[in-house]
Amino acid sequence: MQTLTVAMRHHIEGFLAQFAGTKAVFVPNEGNVGDCLIFAATMNAFAKASIDVDVVDKRADFRNRVVFLGGGGNLVGAYRGMRETIEACRQQADRIILLPHTIRANVDLLESLDDRATIWCRDLRSFQHVRQSNPSLDCQLAHDMAFHCDIPQFMSDEACNRAGPAMLAEKLALHRTSLDKISSLPVVRFMRTDREARLSHIQTDLDVSRAFGCVTDAETSRLAAWCFLKTISVANSVLTDRLHVAIACALLEVDCELVDNSYNKNREIYAHSLSRFDWVSFSKTDDVEVPDIPSAKLSLVTKVARRTQRFRDRWLNGALR
């Protein structure tokens, strides 16, 4: 497995080598604990390439800077975070590098970028979409940045092993579970409970990607990613529609069945990356491909369900107590 992931990192590592010794800025992708894993793995890739980065947000001064933008699934019709970050830096930055992303819609934004930008895609459909939107743009195809996580090194990290167990037990208890309970299940359902859920009839044992917080600073995000991996590592087998749960299973060698999300991200990245891992399979629920530009309207039932879930999450995390 180690040989496989080393090969999957090769293209990005070769690209990053040209920035060795550079003082750059890095804007992580906003999001859940899957994005924390991307964040931690990306910082590892920067260190390996000898790139000195300041972690900033979209309000930073980007004038004449080399700007790395975190990989993920944020440049799609459902979200605006990465679009707003690109809009904030595209006029000022000396270079803009968007690390491997799923990309849908945003044609006007892609058309506005010039030769200072390099766009990395993490699946073939995104790559084709960018090429069609702006044929002159430097667009590359690679794998999700989470594959740059060195699992043995990360899981043995002294700082994480000091602070992680208490945080892990506390957060799991808030969701009425524990490592012992998760390890006792023959199949653990780590299903999502947010807008990207496609199969509402499948219950979840734990939405593990929401259990440990979200992207904040580098140290806290790294600790959250450690808790995320530790939780998944004790599972006997996993059913999930969370992409980074499946990627974690690939890295940890845990049997996993992945089902699709609302805009086919999982299907595309399984075909490009996860199909290489014998212990990860994809459950094809249907053959319908979701358009790049989804409907802007939500049903009343969906809106009520989202408000209920947000209230539940806030209560579990103590915000309403």
Side-chain angles (χ1 to χ4, degrees), residues 30-32 73-81 191-200 207 210 241-242 260-266 290 294-299 301-303 305-307 309-310 313:
E30 60 188 37
N32 58 44
N74 201 267
L75 197 55
V76 298
Y79 306 112
R80 289 193 56 82
M191 304 299 290
R192 67 189 315 139
T193 54
D194 64 3
R195 70 176 73 180
E196 289 187 38
R198 191 172 189 176
L199 301 176
S200 59
D207 189 351
R210 303 180 80 176
D241 54 357
R242 285 283 190 187
D260 217 354
N261 74 314
S262 62
Y263 59 92
N264 302 136
K265 169 181 70 179
N266 295 352
V290 178
S295 171
K297 294 183 179 180
L298 299 174
S299 70
V301 172
T302 300
K303 291 178 181 177
R306 288 186 186 175
R307 285 197 295 269
Q309 183 60 48
R310 285 196 295 271
D313 285 346

Side-chain angles (χ1 to χ4, degrees), residues 16-279:
L16 293 178
Q18 68 184 290
F19 298 100
T22 299
K23 181 73 172 178
V25 295
F26 173 53
V27 186
N29 185 44
E30 60 188 37
N32 58 44
V33 183
D35 297 288
C36 291
L37 178 59
I38 293 175
F39 189 175
T42 302
M43 295 300 287
N44 183 64
F46 287 149
K48 190 173 181 179
S50 299
I51 303 171
D52 184 11
V53 297
D54 289 328
V55 178
V56 301
D57 61 26
K58 62 187 176 185
R59 296 167 295 183
D61 182 357
F62 297 110
R63 286 176 294 181
N64 306 315
R65 303 298 301 272
V66 173
V67 181
F68 288 96
L69 305 175
N74 201 267
L75 197 55
V76 298
Y79 306 112
R80 289 193 56 82
M82 187 52 68
R83 179 187 176 97
E84 291 173 355
T85 302
I86 294 173
E87 289 174 338
C89 70
R90 63 180 171 178
Q91 300 297 332
Q92 304 176 27
D94 185 55
R95 287 290 307 276
I96 300 171
I97 299 100
L98 178 67
L99 292 168
H101 238 82
T102 295
I103 302 174
R104 305 280 188 271
N106 291 288
V107 174
D108 60 327
L109 179 68
L110 296 169
E111 289 176 340
S112 73
L113 298 175
D114 56 29
D115 59 5
R116 292 172 298 143
T118 297
I119 304 296
W120 287 89
C121 299
R122 60 181 184 176
D123 66 273
L124 184 59
R125 180 177 171 187
S126 296
F127 177 76
Q128 292 171 338
H129 176 62
V130 175
R131 281 289 179 89
Q132 290 169 1
S133 300
N134 186 348
S136 65
L137 194 59
D138 180 17
C139 181
Q140 307 284 338
L141 183 62
H143 300 280
D144 190 279
M145 288 302 295
F147 289 108
H148 290 255
C149 180
D150 185 324
I151 288 292
Q153 181 184 68
F154 190 24
M155 299 312 292
S156 62
D157 180 84
E158 289 185 9
C160 289
N161 277 281
R162 281 196 305 271
M167 175 181 173
L168 177 62
E170 178 187 357
K171 293 294 187 180
L172 290 180
L174 285 173
H175 292 270
R176 298 180 177 84
T177 191
S178 65
L179 290 185
D180 286 343
K181 184 174 180 179
I182 289 168
S183 65
S184 71
L185 298 172
V187 178
V188 187
R189 298 165 299 183
F190 290 133
M191 304 299 290
R192 67 189 315 139
T193 54
D194 64 3
R195 70 176 73 180
E196 289 187 38
R198 191 172 189 176
L199 301 176
S200 59
H201 63 280
I202 297 181
Q203 294 182 334
T204 185
D205 297 304
L206 175 67
D207 189 351
V208 67
S209 296
R210 303 180 80 176
F212 303 109
C214 58
V215 170
T216 53
D217 61 275
E219 183 179 347
T220 305
S221 298
R222 182 176 176 83
L223 188 60
W226 183 91
C227 292
F228 175 73
L229 290 171
K230 191 71 172 179
T231 302
I232 295 167
S233 72
V234 304
N236 294 298
S237 183
V238 168
L239 173 67
T240 189
D241 54 357
R242 285 283 190 187
L243 174 63
H244 283 88
V245 171
I247 290 177
C249 287
L251 296 172
L252 294 162
E253 301 188 39
V254 173
D255 286 340
C256 176
E257 181 179 354
L258 176 66
V259 298
D260 217 354
N261 74 314
S262 62
Y263 59 92
N264 302 136
K265 169 181 70 179
N266 295 352
R267 176 184 307 197
E268 299 295 336
I269 295 174
Y270 178 81
H272 180 58
S273 303
L274 287 168
S275 59
R276 302 160 188 254
F277 299 87
D278 292 339
W279 48 93

